[in-house]
Amino acid sequence: MLISKLTVPIELMNEYALWNSFLDRCVPHLKFVRIEEPIDSSTNYKPADSSMFLSFFAHHARDLCELTLRGDYQIHCPLWEVLSRNCPHLRTLDIQGNAVFFGWDRIGVSAQLLSLASLRMGQTNLSDSDLVPLLNVCPNLQTLQIGQSNWITQSGVVSILNSQAPLKSIQIHGQYNYRIGATPPILRRRLELTNVSLSGAIADDFMLALSESCPALTHLSMSDNNSLTDAGILSISRACKEITNVSVRSCFDTSSGIYDYFSPAVRVYFEPTNVWLQFPDFTALDVQLLMPNLHAAQFELPQDDDL
């Protein structure tokens, strides 16, 4: 019996004899692996460089193309090194959960995942300074998705665009409420990006630089932004003639006027700003600043237990 696709609960990997006997007999040409953490498990992060993990990838993953880790994991150097040495065909790494990364400064070019084309993860501790080392490890990455990181800012996104990775799609939910300084320069080179989805504080000058570097852009999604205005969207409409889909959601300083920037053939979705304010955590000034583009608000009084 030969199996090419395997889904396994993480507990089974702890049954060393049974697990390895099964692998030796059934999965010499394993291509798709999904390792699941129990849904009702504790919130503790599982180390993805345990002996069971490393032994599995060292001996049974030569033909591995797609790896999915479902749960919360610590990602250390040994995992990258074992994947690099033993999984020359790995194209997709999908961490469906939270990922805490350690030791980027100890990962060298010898641990590069040259075949990796798609990296997706949920909430992570990655920061601006981690993104360039990440792309050095995955130099041929085409799709990067970061579900949430409170340490990634506009500067980090720029460092991604300035890398040599042949990215075609980025989706990053970064830090929302921070003070934007001057936009670091985006290299004056043609980028092959067709899909950009950004959440967090992104300014108009960044959008202008993006439009000049990404003429092939077809899909743009911006959300939860307190710095972007209609002018930033206008720069996209003028320079990106291949654009087909634009989504702007909860960007405080944008308006429905963006519909007029695009031809009827472009699908434009605009969601006005909605806010939830709990008394007494908001002030009259907060309301005054939000009023020009406010579409809906929910005001809530404290419960009896809060008094």
Side-chain angles (χ1 to χ4, degrees), residues 136-150:
N136 288 338
V137 173
C138 313
N140 298 311
L141 202 64
Q142 297 180 23
T143 299
L144 175 62
Q145 178 179 320
I146 300 175
Q148 178 64 51
S149 174
N150 293 326

PDB file of all heavy atoms in Angstrom, residues 136-150:
ATOM      1  N   ASN A 136      15.219  35.509   2.654  1.00  0.00           N
ATOM      2  CA  ASN A 136      16.516  34.906   2.324  1.00  0.00           C
ATOM      3  C   ASN A 136      16.450  33.382   2.435  1.00  0.00           C
ATOM      4  O   ASN A 136      17.098  32.668   1.673  1.00  0.00           O
ATOM      5  CB  ASN A 136      17.607  35.446   3.245  1.00  0.00           C
ATOM      6  CG  ASN A 136      17.962  36.891   2.930  1.00  0.00           C
ATOM      7  OD1 ASN A 136      17.724  37.373   1.826  1.00  0.00           O
ATOM      8  ND2 ASN A 136      18.511  37.590   3.906  1.00  0.00           N
ATOM      9  N   VAL A 137      15.658  32.903   3.395  1.00  0.00           N
ATOM     10  CA  VAL A 137      15.473  31.467   3.543  1.00  0.00           C
ATOM     11  C   VAL A 137      14.604  30.910   2.416  1.00  0.00           C
ATOM     12  O   VAL A 137      14.779  29.767   1.999  1.00  0.00           O
ATOM     13  CB  VAL A 137      14.847  31.155   4.924  1.00  0.00           C
ATOM     14  CG1 VAL A 137      14.484  29.675   5.040  1.00  0.00           C
ATOM     15  CG2 VAL A 137      15.807  31.540   6.036  1.00  0.00           C
ATOM     16  N   CYS A 138      13.671  31.725   1.931  1.00  0.00           N
ATOM     17  CA  CYS A 138      12.735  31.295   0.876  1.00  0.00           C
ATOM     18  C   CYS A 138      12.910  32.222  -0.329  1.00  0.00           C
ATOM     19  O   CYS A 138      12.024  33.041  -0.629  1.00  0.00           O
ATOM     20  CB  CYS A 138      11.306  31.351   1.369  1.00  0.00           C
ATOM     21  SG  CYS A 138      11.035  30.608   2.996  1.00  0.00           S
ATOM     22  N   PRO A 139      14.018  32.128  -1.057  1.00  0.00           N
ATOM     23  CA  PRO A 139      14.341  33.119  -2.091  1.00  0.00           C
ATOM     24  C   PRO A 139      13.446  33.061  -3.314  1.00  0.00           C
ATOM     25  O   PRO A 139      13.421  34.016  -4.090  1.00  0.00           O
ATOM     26  CB  PRO A 139      15.789  32.779  -2.462  1.00  0.00           C
ATOM     27  CG  PRO A 139      15.922  31.329  -2.154  1.00  0.00           C
ATOM     28  CD  PRO A 139      15.083  31.106  -0.928  1.00  0.00           C
ATOM     29  N   ASN A 140      12.684  31.968  -3.491  1.00  0.00           N
ATOM     30  CA  ASN A 140      11.819  31.840  -4.664  1.00  0.00           C
ATOM     31  C   ASN A 140      10.344  31.914  -4.308  1.00  0.00           C
ATOM     32  O   ASN A 140       9.484  31.441  -5.068  1.00  0.00           O
ATOM     33  CB  ASN A 140      12.126  30.525  -5.390  1.00  0.00           C
ATOM     34  CG  ASN A 140      13.554  30.488  -5.909  1.00  0.00           C
ATOM     35  OD1 ASN A 140      14.012  31.426  -6.550  1.00  0.00           O
ATOM     36  ND2 ASN A 140      14.272  29.413  -5.602  1.00  0.00           N
ATOM     37  N   LEU A 141      10.059  32.525  -3.168  1.00  0.00           N
ATOM     38  CA  LEU A 141       8.684  32.615  -2.684  1.00  0.00           C
ATOM     39  C   LEU A 141       7.835  33.474  -3.618  1.00  0.00           C
ATOM     40  O   LEU A 141       8.230  34.557  -4.019  1.00  0.00           O
ATOM     41  CB  LEU A 141       8.680  33.210  -1.278  1.00  0.00           C
ATOM     42  CG  LEU A 141       7.461  32.926  -0.402  1.00  0.00           C
ATOM     43  CD1 LEU A 141       7.353  31.446  -0.109  1.00  0.00           C
ATOM     44  CD2 LEU A 141       7.555  33.720   0.892  1.00  0.00           C
ATOM     45  N   GLN A 142       6.639  32.975  -3.933  1.00  0.00           N
ATOM     46  CA  GLN A 142       5.703  33.703  -4.788  1.00  0.00           C
ATOM     47  C   GLN A 142       4.479  34.192  -4.026  1.00  0.00           C
ATOM     48  O   GLN A 142       3.887  35.204  -4.392  1.00  0.00           O
ATOM     49  CB  GLN A 142       5.261  32.822  -5.958  1.00  0.00           C
ATOM     50  CG  GLN A 142       6.384  32.421  -6.890  1.00  0.00           C
ATOM     51  CD  GLN A 142       5.902  31.550  -8.028  1.00  0.00           C
ATOM     52  OE1 GLN A 142       4.733  31.560  -8.395  1.00  0.00           O
ATOM     53  NE2 GLN A 142       6.811  30.770  -8.593  1.00  0.00           N
ATOM     54  N   THR A 143       4.101  33.467  -2.969  1.00  0.00           N
ATOM     55  CA  THR A 143       2.932  33.830  -2.166  1.00  0.00           C
ATOM     56  C   THR A 143       3.319  33.899  -0.700  1.00  0.00           C
ATOM     57  O   THR A 143       3.854  32.936  -0.152  1.00  0.00           O
ATOM     58  CB  THR A 143       1.795  32.807  -2.341  1.00  0.00           C
ATOM     59  OG1 THR A 143       1.387  32.774  -3.709  1.00  0.00           O
ATOM     60  CG2 THR A 143       0.601  33.173  -1.477  1.00  0.00           C
ATOM     61  N   LEU A 144       3.057  35.053  -0.067  1.00  0.00           N
ATOM     62  CA  LEU A 144       3.326  35.233   1.358  1.00  0.00           C
ATOM     63  C   LEU A 144       2.063  35.727   2.036  1.00  0.00           C
ATOM     64  O   LEU A 144       1.515  36.764   1.652  1.00  0.00           O
ATOM     65  CB  LEU A 144       4.467  36.226   1.582  1.00  0.00           C
ATOM     66  CG  LEU A 144       4.763  36.595   3.046  1.00  0.00           C
ATOM     67  CD1 LEU A 144       5.185  35.370   3.842  1.00  0.00           C
ATOM     68  CD2 LEU A 144       5.823  37.688   3.121  1.00  0.00           C
ATOM     69  N   GLN A 145       1.612  34.984   3.039  1.00  0.00           N
ATOM     70  CA  GLN A 145       0.412  35.373   3.775  1.00  0.00           C
ATOM     71  C   GLN A 145       0.710  35.352   5.268  1.00  0.00           C
ATOM     72  O   GLN A 145       1.126  34.327   5.807  1.00  0.00           O
ATOM     73  CB  GLN A 145      -0.740  34.423   3.462  1.00  0.00           C
ATOM     74  CG  GLN A 145      -2.019  34.727   4.233  1.00  0.00           C
ATOM     75  CD  GLN A 145      -3.140  33.775   3.860  1.00  0.00           C
ATOM     76  OE1 GLN A 145      -3.306  33.421   2.686  1.00  0.00           O
ATOM     77  NE2 GLN A 145      -3.912  33.340   4.843  1.00  0.00           N
ATOM     78  N   ILE A 146       0.547  36.503   5.919  1.00  0.00           N
ATOM     79  CA  ILE A 146       0.734  36.623   7.365  1.00  0.00           C
ATOM     80  C   ILE A 146      -0.578  37.110   7.954  1.00  0.00           C
ATOM     81  O   ILE A 146      -0.990  38.246   7.740  1.00  0.00           O
ATOM     82  CB  ILE A 146       1.882  37.592   7.703  1.00  0.00           C
ATOM     83  CG1 ILE A 146       3.204  37.088   7.097  1.00  0.00           C
ATOM     84  CG2 ILE A 146       2.020  37.759   9.211  1.00  0.00           C
ATOM     85  CD1 ILE A 146       4.371  38.026   7.283  1.00  0.00           C
ATOM     86  N   GLY A 147      -1.243  36.223   8.690  1.00  0.00           N
ATOM     87  CA  GLY A 147      -2.585  36.522   9.170  1.00  0.00           C
ATOM     88  C   GLY A 147      -2.646  37.688  10.132  1.00  0.00           C
ATOM     89  O   GLY A 147      -3.553  38.504  10.077  1.00  0.00           O
ATOM     90  N   GLN A 148      -1.684  37.781  11.037  1.00  0.00           N
ATOM     91  CA  GLN A 148      -1.674  38.886  11.996  1.00  0.00           C
ATOM     92  C   GLN A 148      -0.311  38.991  12.661  1.00  0.00           C
ATOM     93  O   GLN A 148       0.241  37.986  13.113  1.00  0.00           O
ATOM     94  CB  GLN A 148      -2.745  38.686  13.068  1.00  0.00           C
ATOM     95  CG  GLN A 148      -2.782  39.774  14.145  1.00  0.00           C
ATOM     96  CD  GLN A 148      -3.157  41.129  13.582  1.00  0.00           C
ATOM     97  OE1 GLN A 148      -4.159  41.248  12.883  1.00  0.00           O
ATOM     98  NE2 GLN A 148      -2.383  42.153  13.882  1.00  0.00           N
ATOM     99  N   SER A 149       0.240  40.190  12.690  1.00  0.00           N
ATOM    100  CA  SER A 149       1.436  40.471  13.469  1.00  0.00           C
ATOM    101  C   SER A 149       1.392  41.917  13.924  1.00  0.00           C
ATOM    102  O   SER A 149       1.272  42.829  13.104  1.00  0.00           O
ATOM    103  CB  SER A 149       2.711  40.230  12.659  1.00  0.00           C
ATOM    104  OG  SER A 149       3.848  40.647  13.413  1.00  0.00           O
ATOM    105  N   ASN A 150       1.496  42.115  15.213  1.00  0.00           N
ATOM    106  CA  ASN A 150       1.472  43.469  15.760  1.00  0.00           C
ATOM    107  C   ASN A 150       2.818  44.165  15.666  1.00  0.00           C
ATOM    108  O   ASN A 150       2.977  45.275  16.159  1.00  0.00           O
ATOM    109  CB  ASN A 150       1.016  43.435  17.219  1.00  0.00           C
ATOM    110  CG  ASN A 150      -0.426  43.014  17.364  1.00  0.00           C
ATOM    111  OD1 ASN A 150      -1.255  43.325  16.507  1.00  0.00           O
ATOM    112  ND2 ASN A 150      -0.746  42.298  18.426  1.00  0.00           N
TER     113      ASN A 150
END
